[in-house]
């Protein structure tokens, strides 16, 4: 399932028609990167410290969670362009959350040994683009509380803000360039029993409400999703842009590095958003992004993202900012130049393309279809197979050149290359090409040797007599035994 970055309003609507609002009338307009830096450098307002006691009954309700601030210090962030985007709390608080779905209750119980989140916390870091600040200020006013000035209390949070702000800054920045006004609320609570965990309510996610916790094991970071589900009366998010055509020109060097350009044709189908999120492997570095008239476009690649987004998307994303809103149903193109290495050598001349769906700037999920035009250049000693119908293949010195096009829109395009053996099967209406490595990858071969096992018939042993079963892993479904009817979008199939 795709985890879509939510685009929520952070600045007034007037900012959506032009460059984000300057800090003062005399200041020059800020670029998106300058605004991102300003968000990263936000600090707490030492003059907005509120001392809360139990009888004040200050609380927030977001999604299926009730967060109570029982006793302690509540401090607001400094405003940016007149908007407050965060608050912190230190003291004693409590959260109560009960998932509605029985399956989500079971999931929560796997991590907490109970189908309910009922826990005290010692501190809270909260960011938002909704009415949280107005909600809290209203409650504080009704409790007859007035702000105090305490620079020391605010300064104690500086190390925490330096660690947590960057992930939220990019998320909040997106709201400056979208016409959507859907709410976003994020709270990191330091639970007494569990340690820090997250509460997220984001109406632009397919599953708006989330409870979860990040953790690290060695050099790896993981995210445990305790619960994630839809809420009543929250409509499913609608993408503001749809890719209709990809023209990708890729050159692969003998060292397996990739240098490519891509022209993506898009159709605007939203209310005037300016930020577009593409999937692109973190191993590929973007050199430039330009608009339909070769004008340079601002972009963000591999900046910090929220743990919830990282758990689904990884860091494989590219945010592109349009100079102005595009009218609905308008078509336009964006051009990319990028390079890097996504092809690994598994040994024994077996190559592995790691970024299956992100070796080019890809928009949308597998439910969105587009036409593809692929031009490939690769070392002559290798064979390359790609999505679509092969239009042409020829030699060019030490390289080969190939051209593929899809006959009908498909969800994603890909390629593989290696020293392949191949076989073909044809019928009146369809042809099937099967490609297999001539040898097993080094690690797999070593395991088989250590266990005194041998490869099954046809795997790297008899390339002239390959069968469909020869390239299937053990216990995989046998297509020949599956008599279900399948609708195919092409008369030519490559495996």
């Amino acid at each position: 399932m795709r985890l879509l970055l939510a685009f929520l309003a952070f600045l007034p609507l007037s900012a959506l028609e032009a460059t984000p609002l300057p800090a003062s009338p005399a200041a020059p307009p800020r670029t998106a990167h300058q605004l991102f830096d300003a968000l990263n450098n936000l600090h707490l307002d030492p003059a907005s410290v509120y001392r809360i006691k139990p009888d004040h009954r200050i609380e927030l309700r977001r999604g299926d969670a009730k967060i109570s601030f029982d006793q302690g210090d509540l401090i607001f962030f400094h405003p940016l362009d007149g908007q407050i985007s965060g608050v912190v709390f230190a003291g004693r608080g409590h959260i109560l959350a009960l998932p509605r779905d029985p399956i989500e209750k079971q999931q929560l119980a796997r991590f907490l040994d109970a189908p309910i989140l009922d826990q005290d916390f010692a501190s809270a870091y909260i960011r938002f683009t909704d009415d949280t600040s107005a909600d809290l200020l209203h409650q504080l006013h009704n409790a007859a509380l007035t702000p105090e000035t305490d620079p020391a209390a605010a300064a104690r949070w500086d190390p925490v803000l330096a660690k947590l702000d960057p992930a939220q800054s990019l998320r909040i920045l997106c709201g400056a360039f979208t016409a959507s006004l859907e709410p976003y609320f994020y709270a990191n609570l330091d639970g007494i029993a569990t340690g820090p965990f997250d509460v997220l309510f984001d109406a632009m996610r397919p599953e708006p409400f989330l409870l979860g916790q990040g953790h690290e094991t060695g050099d790896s970071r993981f995210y445990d999703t305790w619960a994630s589900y839809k809420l009543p009366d929250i409509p499913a998010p609608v993408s503001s842009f749809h890719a209709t055509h990809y023209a990708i020109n890729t050159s692969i060097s003998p060292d397996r590095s990739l240098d490519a350009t891509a022209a993506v044709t898009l159709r605007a189908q939203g209310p005037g958003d300016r930020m577009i999120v593409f999937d692109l492997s973190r191993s590929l570095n973007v050199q430039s992004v330009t608009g339909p008239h070769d004008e340079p476009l601002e972009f963000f690649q591999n900046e910090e993202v929220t743990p919830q987004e990282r758990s689904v998307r990884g860091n494989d994303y590219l945010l592109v900012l349009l100079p102005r809103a595009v009218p609905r149903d308008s078509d336009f193109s964006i051009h990319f130049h990028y390079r890097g290495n996504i092809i690994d050598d598994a040994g024994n001349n077996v190559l592995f393309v790691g970024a299956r769906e992100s070796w080019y700037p890809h928009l949308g999920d597998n439910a969105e279809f587009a036409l593809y035009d692929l031009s490939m250049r690769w070392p002559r000693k290798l064979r390359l197979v790609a999505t679509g119908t092969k239009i042409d293949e020829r030699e060019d010195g030490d390289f080969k050149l190939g051209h593929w096009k899809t006959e009908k829109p498909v969800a994603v395009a890909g390629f593989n290359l290696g020293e392949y053996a191949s076989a073909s099967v044809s019928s009146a209406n369809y042809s099937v090409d099967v490609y297999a490595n001539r040898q097993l990858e080094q690690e797999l071969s070593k395991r088989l040797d250590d266990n005194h096992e041998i490869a099954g018939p046809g795997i790297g042993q008899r390339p002239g007599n390959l069968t469909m079963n020869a390239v299937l892993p053990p216990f995989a479904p046998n297509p020949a035994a599956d008599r279900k009817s399948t609708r195919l979008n092409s008369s030519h199939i490559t495996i």
Side-chain angles (χ1 to χ4, degrees), residues 343-399:
I343 304 172
D344 296 323
D345 188 345
N348 291 339
N349 297 316
V350 176
L351 302 181
F352 176 73
V353 181
R356 293 293 182 182
E357 298 183 8
S358 57
W359 64 277
Y360 62 95
H362 180 251
L363 180 66
D365 58 17
N366 289 336
E368 299 187 31
F369 294 73
L371 293 170
Y372 285 83
D373 187 325
L374 308 179
S375 296
M376 310 292 293
R377 178 178 182 268
W378 69 96
R380 185 177 62 182
K381 69 176 183 178
L382 301 175
R383 300 185 70 175
L384 188 144
V385 294
T387 301
T389 300
K390 184 188 293 185
I391 306 300
D392 178 54
E393 181 175 324
R394 56 188 173 87
E395 293 188 358
D396 181 23
D398 292 333
F399 291 86

Side-chain angles (χ1 to χ4, degrees), residues 5-310:
L5 280 179
F7 300 139
L8 306 174
F10 174 66
L11 301 180
L13 282 176
S14 58
L16 302 178
E17 301 301 326
T19 305
L21 291 178
S24 67
R30 281 190 297 224
T31 66
H33 282 84
Q34 290 171 336
L35 183 55
F36 177 73
D37 291 339
L39 286 165
N40 274 344
N41 292 323
L42 272 181
H43 294 280
L44 299 181
D45 182 359
S48 66
V49 180
Y50 291 84
R51 314 287 188 191
I52 296 176
K53 295 181 180 179
D55 57 339
H56 293 145
R57 301 180 64 83
I58 307 300
E59 63 185 33
L60 292 171
R61 295 177 182 268
R62 295 295 182 271
D64 285 340
K66 174 185 175 182
I67 303 173
S68 303
F69 307 97
D70 298 331
Q71 185 168 358
D73 292 347
L74 188 75
I75 312 174
F76 287 92
F77 274 61
H78 269 295
L80 178 63
D81 296 334
Q83 303 293 322
I84 297 175
S85 66
V87 66
V88 299
F89 173 79
R92 187 180 73 249
H94 187 83
I95 180 172
L96 179 64
L98 179 63
R100 309 179 186 208
D101 189 280
I103 295 178
E104 299 298 335
K105 291 179 181 179
Q106 295 175 10
Q107 176 76 359
L108 187 63
R110 288 183 56 196
F111 296 98
L112 303 181
D113 296 324
I116 185 173
L117 175 59
D118 187 359
Q119 186 176 164
D120 291 334
F121 60 85
S123 64
Y125 168 91
I126 303 174
R127 301 301 298 273
F128 44 81
T129 60
D130 61 2
D131 60 353
T132 294
S133 62
D135 187 354
L136 288 173
L137 289 170
H138 178 71
Q139 294 183 58
L140 294 169
H141 175 76
N142 289 344
L145 288 174
T146 56
E148 301 178 15
T149 299
D150 190 341
R156 283 194 291 269
W157 280 91
D158 286 346
V160 177
L161 269 57
K163 180 180 179 180
L164 298 181
D165 274 357
Q168 298 300 318
S169 295
L170 186 62
R171 176 62 183 76
I172 294 172
L173 170 71
C174 295
F177 306 103
T178 177
S180 302
L181 295 175
E182 304 294 343
Y184 170 74
F185 174 90
Y186 166 77
N188 180 271
L189 307 180
D190 187 7
I192 300 300
T194 62
F197 62 92
D198 301 323
V199 180
L200 178 70
F201 175 70
D202 183 352
M204 290 301 292
R205 292 181 72 243
E207 296 178 338
F209 188 70
L210 178 142
L211 302 170
Q213 182 179 51
H215 63 91
E216 296 184 3
T217 302
D219 295 332
S220 300
R221 291 187 293 181
F222 301 90
Y223 195 83
D224 294 331
T225 300
W226 294 353
S228 179
Y229 54 93
K230 298 179 180 180
L231 292 172
D233 303 324
I234 303 296
V238 177
S239 176
S240 297
F241 300 93
H242 171 64
T244 59
H245 186 269
Y246 294 84
I248 306 170
N249 193 320
T250 303
S251 177
I252 302 172
S253 300
D255 64 358
R256 307 187 309 278
S257 63
L258 179 151
D259 192 304
T261 61
V264 184
T265 302
L266 303 126
R267 177 164 298 164
Q269 54 189 22
D273 294 345
R274 294 173 53 193
M275 190 75 82
I276 310 176
V277 185
F278 295 88
D279 290 323
L280 184 68
S281 171
R282 74 198 75 177
S283 300
L284 297 172
N285 296 315
V286 176
Q287 307 300 303
S288 65
V289 182
T290 57
H293 304 294
D294 291 329
E295 70 276 20
L297 301 180
E298 282 195 87
F299 64 90
F300 293 84
Q301 184 187 22
N302 294 340
E303 305 288 350
E304 186 64 63
V305 295
T306 65
Q308 303 79 28
E309 291 160 352
R310 191 185 304 118

Side-chain angles (χ1 to χ4, degrees), residues 440-481:
L440 294 174
E441 61 184 85
Q442 194 169 41
E443 183 63 27
L444 182 56
S445 179
K446 182 178 181 299
R447 290 182 183 180
L448 292 176
D449 290 341
D450 291 343
N451 294 326
H452 304 287
E453 297 178 4
I454 60 173
I459 304 182
Q461 296 181 13
R462 300 172 58 192
N465 191 30
L466 284 173
T467 66
M468 182 71 75
N469 288 332
V471 295
L472 289 176
F475 311 113
N478 185 344

